Amino acid sequence: LERVYLVDDKPFALARAWLLPQASKVSRAQAVTHPIYSILQKLLDLQVDRADVGIVARACDADEARLLELSDGSPVLVMDRVSRDARSQVLEATSFTIRPENYRFSLSVRGPIAITRKIRSV
């Protein structure tokens, strides 16, 4: 499943999602009008128990640049997500390529969160 998300009619993010085989019974019309989690939970009656997410910055390729209306090689944020059910079965894996200028990731974590193991003085 590949789609471009828009904000104010401008490309904001490109999503490329891989769903489990039973998602093949979802029609194209349904896929166009439902977010990925809605497809899983409402249309396929599958419950997401957890998601693992990683975020990295990189240069976009020519295809991503065209779809996001950027110059080839422009910086983008890439958020990779793998969602699982309570038995740890993978329900979806999605890679979001995001224009970075209007996006902010926010996390809320209980307890301390380490961002590095080594520190060098400057």
Side-chain angles (χ1 to χ4, degrees):
L1 177 64
E2 183 176 80
R3 55 176 69 170
V4 174
Y5 293 103
L6 305 174
V7 172
D8 297 327
D9 293 325
K10 295 182 182 176
F12 164 68
L14 168 64
R16 290 183 169 126
W18 295 265
L19 305 175
L20 62 174
Q22 60 248 54
S24 63
K25 63 183 169 185
V26 174
S27 72
R28 181 170 176 77
Q30 290 172 314
V32 168
T33 59
H34 285 80
I36 294 165
Y37 277 179
S38 177
I39 291 171
L40 293 172
Q41 296 181 353
K42 292 182 180 176
L43 302 179
L44 299 174
D45 198 29
L46 300 168
Q47 298 308 308
V48 174
D49 183 66
R50 79 170 213 268
D52 299 311
V53 177
I55 302 166
V56 66
R58 66 164 171 78
C60 66
D61 64 29
D63 187 49
E64 294 164 335
R66 179 182 57 77
L67 292 168
L68 294 173
E69 297 178 6
L70 294 167
S71 298
D72 191 7
S74 293
V76 291
L77 295 172
V78 178
M79 181 178 75
D80 291 319
R81 177 182 75 193
V82 177
S83 301
R84 301 173 186 274
D85 65 13
R87 297 173 317 198
S88 293
Q89 176 184 355
V90 173
L91 301 178
E92 64 90 31
T94 302
S95 184
F96 299 91
T97 304
I98 304 163
R99 292 180 65 119
E101 64 271 14
N102 295 317
Y103 203 82
R104 177 186 174 116
F105 289 100
S106 298
L107 301 173
S108 177
V109 179
R110 290 182 182 237
I113 182 170
I115 59 170
T116 186
R117 294 180 185 257
K118 292 184 180 183
I119 299 173
R120 178 174 33 142
S121 297
V122 289

